[in-house]
Amino acid sequence: MDKITSGDITALFEALHATFRDKRDELIALDAKVGDSDLGITMNNAFEAAAATVTAQTDTPMGKQFMLAGAAMAKAAPSTMGTLTATGFMRGGKALGDADAIGATEMAAFWRAYADGIAERGKAKLGDKTVLDVLVPIAESLEASVAAGLSLAESTSKASSDAKAALEATKNLVAQHGKAAAFAEKSKGLQDAGSTVAALLIETVAEFCNR
C-alpha cells in the first residue's frame, strides 16, 4: 500500500479495534503487575468507540476522522491511558490537516504530533517508563525513513521493528508516573504497559500498510 486513503480509514480502525479486543486479557494481566488492571478494558472500549465513529463519518476529511475518533475514545475510556490515547489521535488528526491521503510523510507527521501531544498532556519525558519511550522512537524512525525515501509500507515496518526494540528497553527503566511509580524499583524488569499499547498500535498500522 503506497497511501492510506479516506476509503481505508474504516478498515484501519476495525483492524485497530481487533488488535485491542484480541489483546484485552494480555494487557489486563500486564497492567495488573504494577497498575490498575484496567488497561485492556480501556483500550478495547476506546477503539470500539473509535471504529464505530469513523464508520459513520466516511464522507468526512481524514484528519477530521482521526480527531472525531479521538473524541470518541475520550468519552468511552476516560481513564489516564484512554485520555492520552485520545489526545494522540486528536493531535495526529490535526497534523494531517486537509491531506487527502496518508503516505510516509503524512504518517511521520501524524506520529510526531501524537507523541508531542501526549508528552504535553502527560507531563512526562523519555526515560520515565511511559508510553513516550516507544512513541518517540516510532516518530523518529518514521522521520528517518522519510528522509531515506522509504515507502509507507517500508517505513511503518521499520517503525514497528524499532518500537519492539524500544519496548524491550523499557524493562530496564524505573517508573516515574502513575500507580507504577509507587512500586519504584519493583517496576524494573517489567515491560511498560503503556509502551506496549504504542507498540501494538504501530504494529497494526504496519500490518495494514503491508497487506
Side-chain angles (χ1 to χ4, degrees):
M1 180 180 289
D2 294 328
K3 290 183 181 294
I4 295 173
T5 65
S6 181
D8 297 317
I9 300 301
T10 294
L12 173 60
F13 274 91
E14 287 175 348
L16 289 167
H17 178 221
T19 290
F20 288 103
R21 182 186 62 232
D22 294 346
K23 296 291 184 178
R24 177 182 178 275
D25 291 346
E26 182 179 319
L27 289 172
I28 287 173
L30 182 62
D31 192 37
K33 294 178 180 179
V34 290
D36 295 322
S37 305
D38 64 349
L39 183 61
I41 297 169
T42 293
M43 290 296 99
N44 179 62
N45 290 349
F47 282 96
E48 181 177 34
T53 295
V54 298
T55 297
Q57 300 289 336
T58 54
D59 294 329
T60 304
M62 285 199 305
K64 183 68 172 178
Q65 282 182 281
F66 279 94
M67 294 175 72
L68 288 171
M73 290 178 191
K75 184 176 181 180
S79 65
T80 299
M81 194 61 190
T83 299
L84 290 176
T85 304
T87 297
F89 273 86
M90 287 189 281
R91 293 292 186 89
K94 184 176 181 179
L96 292 176
D98 297 326
D100 57 6
I102 301 173
T105 299
E106 291 79 14
M107 185 65 75
F110 175 90
W111 283 94
R112 174 55 66 187
Y114 191 115
D116 288 349
I118 286 184
E120 181 182 331
R121 186 67 181 265
K123 308 300 182 185
K125 63 183 185 301
L126 278 176
D128 283 353
K129 196 163 187 167
T130 72
V131 64
L132 283 179
D133 290 303
V134 168
L135 283 178
V136 172
I138 289 171
E140 290 177 344
S141 177
L142 289 167
E143 289 165 348
S145 290
V146 169
L150 299 186
S151 68
L152 177 65
E154 292 168 332
S155 62
T156 52
S157 289
K158 185 176 185 304
S160 180
S161 178
D162 290 341
K164 289 174 183 175
L167 177 59
E168 181 66 22
T170 65
K171 293 179 180 179
N172 298 320
L173 302 175
V174 176
Q176 304 294 320
H177 295 271
K179 186 174 181 179
F183 291 85
E185 289 296 328
K186 289 184 179 179
S187 70
K188 195 167 185 178
L190 299 177
Q191 178 175 305
D192 180 59
S195 292
T196 303
V197 168
L200 288 170
L201 281 171
I202 191 61
E203 179 182 19
T204 304
V205 170
E207 289 175 350
F208 186 83
C209 291
N210 281 273
R211 295 186 305 175

